[in-house]
Amino acid sequence: MRLYWEIFKRSFQSAAAYRLEMIAQTVSSLFGILIQTSIWLALYRGNAEHASTAGQISIRDMLTYAILSSCVFLLINNQMIWKLGEKIKTGEIAMDLIKPIHLARYLFSESGGLALFRVVFQLLPVLAFGAVIYGIVPPAAPDFVFFAVCLLNGIVLYYLMSFICGLIAFWYMVNWHTNSLFHLVMTLFSGSLVPLWFFPGALSKTVSLLPFPLVFYGPISVYLGKRTIEEEMVLVAMQFAWIALLALLLRWIWGKAVKKLVIQGG
Amino acid sequence: MSIIRVQSLTKRFKRQIRRSGKMSAFKDFAFPRHEWKDAVKEVDFQIDKGEIVGYIGPNGAGKSTTIKMMVGILVPTSGSIEIGGLVPYKNRLENSRKIGVVFGQRTQLWWDIPVMETFRLMQYMYKIPQRQFEENIRIFTEILGIDEFVNVPVRQLSLGQRMRADLCAALLHNPEILYLDEPTIGLDVDVKERVRGFIKEVNRTRETTVILTTHDTSDLDKLCSRVLVIDQGSLMYDGDLEYLKRHYSRHDVVTVETDSEMPENLLRTRFQDDFTQEGRKCHVRIVPEKDSTADCIAWFIRNGRLLDVQIRQTDIDEVIRNLYSTFKRPEKETGSG
């Protein structure tokens, strides 16, 4: 455990080396918020509320949703697919395999440190900007506890999914299309752009069985108090189930990937 | 007692044959053809604890493939490896705690943070006891002269500094075996000397077994008691470095620059055909059994005004080429499949 904590700290430290990059990213997420909020303002066109499968959604709810969605993205974004691809392409993976570490855990700690750095230097400014310009709906206290749990689970889920997709690089050298496919699916089904409550009923039901909405739509809808306590519990249970399932899947694919590498020499 | 046992080790890779000519790219895409290539072929050797062994051969000879199999990140096609009683690829994690690895072209240091932070990370990674860690840091930083840049981020280090830091990082957990893949590549003479001194010292005081690949003859001269020569995947020589050089390096080359061009006739009477002329420069081949470098230079001093003299010994690649031509079939084998 100590090792992973140390990795976490060092990753935070090394993120500090890229100040300009951080500033550029902050600016681009501010633009992201501007675009999304403008779209929602235009869609609502003066209406205070819209009907949805989760009841009436006010424009303030929706603006909060868009801002929080950008914040969640800052938290989870890890470029794992690209990172693993580079490791395979450059052969750096060999250096990782001759160390007594579990690469998935190692990289998880690393992306954790990076995420914390972004929380301090990007997420807080973005949140402050959103709160001042649009006004964010404050959550009810019990909702907030569930939200925090959901959010953390969502981070783990996203990491597992992206790592598994990244492992595809062990078989196919070029993995930028894995990357774009994954992001496309994420954008469509996670609710990062359009909340599932605006999806047609059947589609919404199907998609909620998948792990993707558990990363964005799940936590944010909890924050906005759109779920009953029972629904929140089901949501968290589903997250744990998916985490367990994906962790097993990751382990299985990792075993195969290493085997492939050690036999064919990458 | 051998710490490393390698028996009829073979690694066969499949690789695609690229065609040339009309529509070749299309054909390669639609109907790929493959061939099998033995990167390492029936290699046998044993290495004892505390030896420093040079593993040499031209580029693509199979050195790295062998080392990858020894560290456990490549599975042999056939044959066996045992490192300290373990089969590396079956016990990758366990094996990794007992070995140190430095690949000259790569770094295991964390790029954006000070060197010391990577060292500390190694402490947690290999669970190094505090006392051992502090003692190793003290000794290593002194011999390698790391103290001056231990707080500098790695990306700001020069190649020489980075290499020294990498060596240090690879040895903090007192590995039994140290694998060095071209550890002195691209370094200046001073740093090379320091790196060699360090390797020697670690080997002497801790009985660390060292396997080293290099293209630098002086690395071998200064460090290795024994060399293994590999070419085209086969082990061609296993033994003393001196013997190898005496028998397979045929000549030295002496380059002499004089203030005016030497008459060709004069040169021919002394050196017959063993020279080439390049304006005022003259290259002479000296075969040790027939002639001596000293006599050759003395002759030039008597017959002209010397500006410059250079003596070049046969480098190890040339030795290997000679070795190769003594034993080998003239044509390269290629399989298909």
Side-chain angles (χ1 to χ4, degrees), chain A residues 111-167:
Chain A
S111 62
L114 212 63
L116 183 66
F117 190 88
R118 281 197 300 252
V119 167
V120 178
F121 294 97
Q122 292 188 285
L123 196 147
L124 292 180
V126 166
L127 208 55
F129 173 84
V132 170
I133 304 287
Y134 303 103
I136 291 177
V137 183
D143 284 338
F144 192 76
V145 176
F146 263 104
F147 167 69
V149 176
C150 265
L151 189 63
L152 282 176
N153 281 342
I155 294 172
V156 176
L157 266 176
Y158 182 82
Y159 179 79
L160 290 170
M161 289 190 280
S162 56
F163 196 93
I164 289 169
C165 289
L167 285 179

Side-chain angles (χ1 to χ4, degrees), chain A:
Chain A
M1 256 345 262
R2 183 67 194 269
L3 168 66
Y4 298 105
W5 169 240
E6 294 294 329
I7 294 165
F8 181 84
K9 282 200 303 198
R10 275 164 189 72
S11 170
F12 183 84
Q13 208 181 339
S14 81
Y18 299 96
R19 266 176 54 208
L20 265 178
E21 195 194 341
M22 282 289 161
I23 295 170
Q25 277 180 14
T26 312
V27 171
S28 83
S29 37
L30 289 180
F31 270 111
I33 288 180
L34 264 168
I35 293 167
Q36 282 196 49
T37 46
S38 309
I39 292 173
W40 287 113
L41 284 168
L43 286 171
Y44 269 71
R45 230 188 305 167
N47 296 338
E49 287 184 345
H50 250 292
S52 78
T53 51
Q56 292 294 312
I57 305 295
S58 71
I59 179 70
R60 272 193 77 197
D61 282 343
M62 210 41 243
L63 293 178
T64 307
Y65 191 101
I67 292 161
L68 287 181
S69 167
S70 295
C71 292
V72 173
F73 181 76
L74 285 175
L75 269 178
I76 58 161
N77 178 22
N78 57 22
Q79 306 192 334
M80 200 47 57
I81 298 177
W82 174 81
K83 212 177 256 173
L84 283 171
E86 281 300 295
K87 274 183 186 294
I88 310 287
K89 212 164 71 185
T90 61
E92 195 192 312
I93 190 81
M95 294 303 285
D96 296 316
L97 288 177
I98 51 180
K99 284 181 197 149
I101 49 162
H102 294 272
L103 189 64
R105 289 181 213 164
Y106 181 99
L107 290 176
F108 183 63
S109 319
E110 197 186 275
S111 62
L114 212 63
L116 183 66
F117 190 88
R118 281 197 300 252
V119 167
V120 178
F121 294 97
Q122 292 188 285
L123 196 147
L124 292 180
V126 166
L127 208 55
F129 173 84
V132 170
I133 304 287
Y134 303 103
I136 291 177
V137 183
D143 284 338
F144 192 76
V145 176
F146 263 104
F147 167 69
V149 176
C150 265
L151 189 63
L152 282 176
N153 281 342
I155 294 172
V156 176
L157 266 176
Y158 182 82
Y159 179 79
L160 290 170
M161 289 190 280
S162 56
F163 196 93
I164 289 169
C165 289
L167 285 179
I168 293 173
F170 278 71
W171 285 272
Y172 306 101
M173 284 297 196
V174 192
N175 67 343
W176 61 266
H177 32 55
T178 316
N179 195 31
S180 36
L181 189 66
F182 177 65
H183 283 290
L184 209 70
V185 171
M186 256 334 263
T187 318
L188 253 172
F189 295 138
S190 71
S192 72
L193 220 51
V194 180
L196 264 62
W197 60 51
F198 287 139
F199 280 30
L203 182 64
S204 164
K205 281 215 177 71
T206 321
V207 171
S208 14
L209 295 175
L210 301 173
F212 313 110
L214 298 174
V215 179
F216 282 89
Y217 176 72
I220 302 175
S221 60
V222 169
Y223 178 98
L224 288 170
K226 299 296 174 199
R227 302 202 180 217
T228 63
I229 202 85
E230 290 79 27
E231 281 175 337
E232 286 174 357
M233 291 216 246
V234 169
L235 187 74
V236 173
M238 264 184 78
Q239 283 184 321
F240 279 123
W242 270 113
I243 287 174
L245 197 71
L246 288 173
L248 282 176
L249 186 67
L250 186 148
R251 172 173 286 200
W252 182 69
I253 297 183
W254 171 252
K256 295 241 167 224
V258 170
K259 201 164 177 186
K260 156 83 171 49
L261 189 78
V262 296
I263 288 171
Q264 294 184 14

Side-chain angles (χ1 to χ4, degrees), chain B residues 62 89 132 149 246 298:
Chain B
Y89 66 90
Q132 180 194 328
F149 54 84
R246 246 197 336 274

Side-chain angles (χ1 to χ4, degrees), chain A residues 2-3 6-7 10-11 13-14 17-18 90-91 94-95 97-101 106 261-265, chain B residues 11 13 71 73-75 92-93 96-97 101 103 106 108 110 112-113 117 120-121 124-126 155:
Chain A
R2 183 67 194 269
L3 168 66
E6 294 294 329
I7 294 165
R10 275 164 189 72
S11 170
Q13 208 181 339
S14 81
Y18 299 96
T90 61
M95 294 303 285
L97 288 177
I98 51 180
K99 284 181 197 149
I101 49 162
Y106 181 99
L261 189 78
V262 296
I263 288 171
Q264 294 184 14
Chain B
K11 182 70 199 177
F13 288 115
V71 298
I73 53 176
L74 209 52
V75 180
R92 190 162 48 80
L93 285 180
S96 71
R97 288 178 208 283
V101 183
F103 290 144
R106 293 185 200 294
Q108 53 180 327
W110 202 311
D112 300 305
I113 58 177
E117 290 296 316
R120 290 225 171 275
L121 194 64
Y124 301 113
M125 199 180 282
Y126 290 95
R155 75 189 132 84

